Every structure is written in structure tokens, then in C-alpha cells.
Amino acid sequence: MDTDVLVVGAGPTGLMLANQLVRRGVRVVIIDRHARPALQSRALGVQPRTLEIYAKLGIVDRALELGKPGTGVNLWAQGRKLARVPFGQAGHDVTPYPFILILGQDDNERIMGDKLRELGLAVQWNTELVGLAQEGDKVTATLKLAGGTRRAIVAAWVAGCDGAHSSVRELSGITFPGAPYEHVFFVADTEATGSMIADEVNVYLWREGFHLLFPMRGKDHWRIVGILPPSLRRDDVKFESVIPSLRKEAGAELLFKACTWFSTYRIHHRAAARFRDRRCFLLGDAAHIHSPVGAQGMNTGLQDAYNLAWKLALVVKDRADAALLDSYEEERIPVARFLLNTTDRGFRLAVSDSWLAGLFRTEVIARVVAFAMSRERFQKVAFRLVSQTGIRYRKSALSRSLEGLPESAPGAGDRFPWLRLKFRTDGSVEDLFQKLDDTHFNLIVLGQPAPSEGALDLGGLLRVHLIPADPINDAELARAQIPKPSFYLLRPDGHVGLCGTRIDAAAVKQYVSANLHLRV
Ligand SMILES: Cc1cc2nc3c(=O)[nH]c(=O)nc-3n(C[C@H](O)[C@H](O)[C@H](O)COP(=O)(O)OP(=O)(O)OC[C@H]3O[C@@H](n4cnc5c(N)ncnc54)[C@H](O)[C@@H]3O)c2cc1C
């Protein structure tokens, strides 16, 4: 076997997966058919859940340094600002990062690439996957190198992080049903001044569509995304041609000093019929593509990688049976389908050509959004949805709630809430997420003694956190609706695997072998 895992594609998804596998001691080869990383920024919004994962990987400070926290969205229609939707207020007790970080995909890739090199692995550029053959416990991949030479590499597992035109998907015979949207979009990175509210996302709604202006690093730098007017649908269209329609909708005071990148593209909404064929997995755009509504695309790929990495590492290291890997598809396909449905609905409303939809867009949407966002409950629901902190796997075979916990408490499959707790009665308040070790399982014990050493021996895979009785802890637990006594066994990715009231070592052991398929 040449390697444990061959990661195909060094976009954001492949880089995240390679990082997560290498830091868990897995042998990885990562290839990309291009000669170097992409220079275009493409995706711009990094969601809070991704920042939490970046924190565990040790790259969040660099991301925060390079990015710009988006503090709100302003909705404009017919030259008037109709509403401002603040980010963050609803998320300040949900996550340490209650904002969308505006940071280009190129910067995200650079940060993850640097981290991977620091961990001792370099991307093999100019290396394209052109063939796959699965046989027993191995996959033989044929790679085409620069100059056309071919070589074979044998891997135990292959991860297709190779984008919308995935070779892994095609070579595995997995279909990619869906369709393109009829509209053509443009994206431009510009230096501009105008009515836009600085450092915030500005959405200009108009009868025939919308323009989105995202603040980028540097003074007066804006990423503009919009629908290309039908009269301009030709191959040689330039940014200058779209300026008149932009100024018509976003105001005549909109002035452009420079445009450093302009591209047009069509958007598809598709999801792979399966995310796995035996030893080959699909992640990121290889598995699902959808409209950019909500800035979810890149983030969803990164979380596919975070979901698969710990499972694959345990199987590669012979600590778990391969059955654990069945949960990857089981957990991530519903996330992708939900995303496709919600972004599709939102997107159709945003681009519909009908007169009624146009009226709805300019007259009704902004007012409805402004009203809804003044309601705290709606703000919280919207925050959890967009920030991806609300993603949960309640129906997964890995999720098991023992009897006794109230409905309102966090349940099996949920991302365990972010808490600030005292871990010693004489200590200071600490961030739970910083205490959790994402290369291990974490057992949180509340209102009862920790199990004796040996009673829960997971062969060194478990970290136990006993939360002492303390008024500060009690208030924090009440806020998160966590009762006492209770216990939460967290998976390495921070989702609850098993939970209940009194710890029962036999039930934990049964869960660990029957649900997690661990060899302990
Ligand atoms: C113009 C544009 C604007 C976008 N804007 C947004 C946005 O605002 N927000 C958002 O969330 N998303 C946006 N996206 C989508 C976002 O860029 C993707 O969701 C993201 O890139 C997915 O990452 P990935 O790693 O899964 O795939 P990719 O980034 O596509 O990376 C796949 C990698 O695999 C490599 N590869 C492909 N085939 C092979 C092969 N056979 N062998 C070896 N290597 C191979 C490719 O060279 C590439 O480097 C945009 C996309 C485009 C094109």
C-alpha cells in the first residue's frame, strides 16, 4: 500500500481533509491537476461553525487577521435602504465567533495549505487522477503527471474532493442529478465608492434581480455578484458592460476605480446519488453544488471533511471497524439535500423573472425580513441555520439518547453547545470548546462523580471532563437547558454521540461497540 488515503483535489475541501487526517497520524497523498493554488477568491463567507473548526486546527487567528467580520446585511430597493439585518447579536452566546468572516477562498486555501506544510505534507501539483480500480481492500489510482507520464498509486481509501466535475465521482459511476439555473451570473472584484454601508454586505434588490456587494479586505474593495442582463450574454462580455445596469439599480453615485477580476458563470443545483462507492468517498462540490445564497458552499465541503476525517482515521488506525464509515453518507446526504432545497427556494425567489416576484422582491421581502429580524426568536433560528451551528445528526446510527433527558436538553446528534465553565471550583471560567480535544472522544460529566478509571476504558481514546458544582456553572447549564445529573459523550467532531442522566458504564460500552464500532 503506497498510502492510507489518496485525497484528490487541493481545493478547500481536500486541504481540510488532508489536514485533519495528517494531524491524526494518517498517511496521506494529496494531488491536484492544476499547477498551483487558484488565484481567484470565489467563495467569500466563512461561517461561524467553520471558524470553530479552524480554531481546533490552530488557524483561526490567521483567518481572523486576514479577514473582515461582516457585521450586518443592508437591504436596498429602488435607491432606498429598507432594512438592516445585524449579524451576531443572535449568536453571541452560541459560538465564540458570532459573525460571518469575509475572507476569500484563496486566503482560506493558503492558510490551510500552510498548515498542511507545517504538519509535513505538501500538495503534489500537476497530478491528475485519470483512473480508479477497486479491488478487495485497496484502490489503484492512475495518475497523469506533467508531461503526460502516468503512474499508479495504491491507496486503502480515496477521497474525491475534486470539485463539481469530479473524476472520482465519474470513475465510480455515481450520478449527479440536478439542473442548471437559466440565468448567467457575473462576479467582479472591484474598487468602488457609493451608497454601500462600509464593512457590511449590501443587497440591492430590483424588479429583474439583485446585486450583492460584499466588503473585501482593503479600502473600498467590494466583491459584486449579480445577474448578467440577457442582452450581455456573450463570451467576450467585459465588466464595463455591466456598469450601466449596476448604477441604475445601486445608484448613479456608484463609481468604479478598478476591477481586478471579472468572470461570468452558470450555477447548477445538483447532489450526487451516493457519497460513497465502497472505498471511494465524495466530499464538497464533488458531492453537492447549489446556489451561493447564504454563503454555504465552501463551508459545507469543509464540514464534510471534518465529519469524515475522524471516522476514517479510526478505521485506518484499526481502532474501529469499517462499518463506522457508513455514517458519513447517512449524516451528510441529508445536510446536502436540505441545503439544496433551502438555497434553491431562496434563489428562485431572488432571481424569478415574473412581474409579481419582482414586486415581491422590491416591496415585500425587505419589509418582511426587517420585521422578522426584529424578533429575537427568528433571529436565533436564522443564525443557527446560516452559521451552520444548528446542523445535527439526530437520525444517525451514531446518535443515541438514553431515557431521562428532557426534550429541551441538547440531544444525541446535536453539536454540543458552546459553554463557559469552571473546570475547578477554585479556577477561572474557561471556554469549553478550547478544552475539548477533537482528536479524542470527550465525556462531559455533570452533577455526579466521574466514572472510575477503568470502568470506561476506551483504549486511550477518551478524555473525561468533570464539571464541578458551582453557581456560575449552574447558570450556564441552565442557559443551555442541560439538566443535572447528566452526561454527554461527544464524538471528536463535537457532536453528541451518547447522552443520558446517570452514567451507566455498561450502556456506554455497548454504545461504543454497537454504534461506534470501536475496537476496545
Ligand atoms: C465564480 C465562482 C464564485 C463562487 N462564489 C461562491 C461564494 O460566494 N460562496 C460560496 O460558498 N461558494 C462560492 N463558490 C463555490 C465555491 O467556490 C465551492 O463551493 C468550493 O470551491 C468547493 O470546494 P471544493 O474543494 O469542494 O472544490 P474545488 O474548489 O472545485 O476544488 C477541487 C480541486 O480539485 C482539483 N481537481 C479536479 N479534478 C481533478 C483530478 N481529476 N485530479 C486531480 N485534481 C483534480 C481541481 O483542480 C481543484 O483544485 C463559487 C464558485 C465559483 C466558480
Side-chain angles (χ1 to χ4, degrees):
M1 207 77 79
D2 297 314
T3 187
D4 295 326
V5 183
L6 170 66
V7 176
V8 183
T13 306
L15 290 169
M16 173 59 85
L17 183 68
N19 267 294
Q20 295 296 346
L21 290 171
V22 171
R23 65 194 279 264
R24 289 172 169 85
V26 175
R27 290 185 307 147
V28 175
V29 168
I30 176 168
I31 60 164
D32 198 290
R33 69 186 162 94
H34 285 142
R36 63 187 68 83
L39 298 175
Q40 294 95 359
S41 51
R42 300 205 283 167
L44 264 192
V46 184
Q47 297 293 351
R49 181 63 187 138
T50 299
L51 293 172
E52 292 173 1
I53 296 170
Y54 278 5
K56 301 307 300 174
L57 187 56
I59 57 173
V60 75
D61 291 341
R62 185 82 184 116
L64 295 175
E65 197 184 308
L66 290 178
K68 216 178 213 201
T71 47
V73 180
N74 299 280
L75 295 176
W76 299 75
Q78 289 155 354
R80 279 183 306 129
K81 197 176 109 180
L82 292 184
R84 177 178 182 274
V85 179
F87 285 148
Q89 275 168 16
H92 74 275
D93 58 359
V94 176
T95 170
Y97 312 102
F99 46 80
I100 292 181
L101 187 74
I102 311 286
L103 179 70
Q105 185 169 327
D106 51 344
D107 282 330
N108 282 278
E109 290 179 17
R110 187 171 324 120
I111 295 169
M112 284 190 276
D114 288 348
K115 185 70 194 179
L116 191 59
R117 267 189 301 280
E118 202 183 299
L119 293 172
L121 185 69
V123 175
Q124 297 182 16
W125 298 104
N126 279 319
T127 306
E128 181 179 2
L129 175 84
V130 291
L132 273 182
Q134 296 204 46
E135 195 192 333
D137 60 356
K138 62 179 199 275
V139 189
T140 305
T142 308
L143 309 182
K144 193 169 105 191
L145 312 181
T149 43
R150 287 173 186 241
R151 86 177 163 93
I153 176 172
V154 180
W157 303 93
V158 171
C161 307
D162 47 350
H165 303 286
S166 169
S167 307
V168 175
R169 192 185 63 233
E170 277 165 27
L171 292 166
S172 303
I174 299 176
T175 56
F176 202 35
Y181 291 105
E182 63 189 274
H183 297 81
V184 177
F185 294 81
F186 72 83
V187 52
D189 284 351
T190 66
E191 209 183 322
T193 53
S195 58
M196 301 81 80
I197 307 298
D199 295 336
E200 304 211 330
V201 179
N202 288 264
V203 181
Y204 292 87
L205 302 166
W206 41 293
R207 288 278 166 99
E208 279 83 37
F210 64 90
H211 284 127
L212 301 176
L213 277 81
F214 296 92
M216 295 180 71
R217 196 168 65 238
K219 190 171 177 309
D220 297 334
H221 283 142
W222 293 92
R223 152 75 59 85
I224 306 178
V225 177
I227 298 174
L228 198 65
S231 59
L232 296 177
R233 283 189 198 172
R234 48 174 201 268
D235 288 345
D236 61 346
V237 62
K238 300 263 183 318
F239 177 62
E240 287 67 32
S241 315
V242 299
I243 291 178
S245 79
L246 263 166
R247 297 186 70 199
K248 189 166 144 226
E249 305 307 331
E253 70 268 38
L254 184 61
L255 292 176
F256 293 99
K257 292 183 220 157
C259 174
T260 51
W261 178 49
F262 177 73
S263 179
T264 60
Y265 58 103
R266 290 195 71 174
I267 293 174
H268 297 241
H269 53 109
R270 297 179 185 277
R274 290 173 289 138
F275 284 12
R276 178 184 181 187
D277 173 35
R278 292 164 289 161
R279 294 188 158 258
C280 296
F281 294 89
L282 299 178
L283 302 88
D285 275 20
H288 43 75
I289 49 172
H290 43 82
S291 88
V293 164
Q296 305 286 301
M298 178 179 76
N299 295 274
T300 306
L302 296 177
Q303 282 164 58
D304 289 343
Y306 200 53
N307 183 288
L308 180 62
W310 66 271
K311 300 171 183 173
L312 204 45
L314 285 172
V315 172
V316 164
K317 294 271 160 197
D318 220 16
R319 305 300 304 269
D321 291 337
L324 173 61
L325 299 171
D326 295 346
S327 63
Y328 168 67
E329 269 192 321
E330 191 191 353
E331 295 180 346
R332 296 306 293 176
I333 285 181
V335 170
R337 297 226 165 109
F338 178 76
L339 188 62
L340 246 75
N341 286 339
T342 44
T343 54
D344 186 50
R345 256 182 266 137
F347 195 63
R348 283 189 192 283
L349 189 61
V351 300
S352 169
D353 286 338
S354 86
W355 176 85
L356 196 62
L359 189 70
F360 187 67
R361 207 156 36 230
T362 52
E363 301 295 335
V364 184
I365 286 187
R367 287 183 178 85
V368 169
V369 170
F371 175 76
M373 292 310 286
S374 67
R375 300 280 180 277
E376 199 187 321
R377 201 177 135 70
F378 188 86
Q379 278 185 18
K380 282 194 181 297
V381 171
F383 182 84
R384 281 182 192 275
L385 186 71
V386 175
S387 67
Q388 303 195 336
T389 55
I391 289 174
R392 57 197 198 183
Y393 310 124
R394 286 202 169 175
K395 292 192 177 144
S396 165
L398 305 193
S399 303
R400 189 155 165 232
S401 290
L402 301 178
E403 279 181 11
L405 282 181
E407 278 284 304
S408 54
D414 296 3
R415 158 189 165 279
F416 193 75
W418 176 54
L419 304 174
R420 281 139 296 175
L421 297 168
K422 279 183 163 186
F423 291 81
R424 288 197 330 261
T425 34
D426 59 349
S428 52
V429 173
E430 294 179 78
D431 177 336
L432 171 70
F433 279 13
Q434 284 182 17
K435 300 284 277 191
L436 298 178
D437 177 348
D438 74 341
T439 60
H440 286 74
F441 290 87
N442 290 276
L443 177 68
I444 299 177
V445 182
L446 302 138
Q448 59 192 306
S452 64
E453 233 172 84
L456 283 182
D457 180 17
L458 300 195
L461 291 175
L462 184 68
R463 297 273 181 270
V464 179
H465 309 270
L466 179 66
I467 311 301
D470 181 277
I472 291 180
N473 289 351
D474 288 346
E476 188 71 344
L477 294 173
R479 181 182 69 76
Q481 299 186 294
I482 298 174
K484 286 199 311 187
S486 62
F487 76 93
Y488 286 86
L489 178 63
L490 310 190
R491 314 163 1 159
D493 61 4
H495 285 262
V496 178
L498 177 73
C499 56
T501 49
R502 291 266 166 213
I503 298 185
D504 170 355
V508 175
K509 283 199 163 157
Q510 211 258 341
Y511 166 79
V512 161
S513 59
N515 298 73
L516 290 176
H517 306 284
L518 292 192
R519 292 183 181 151
V520 287

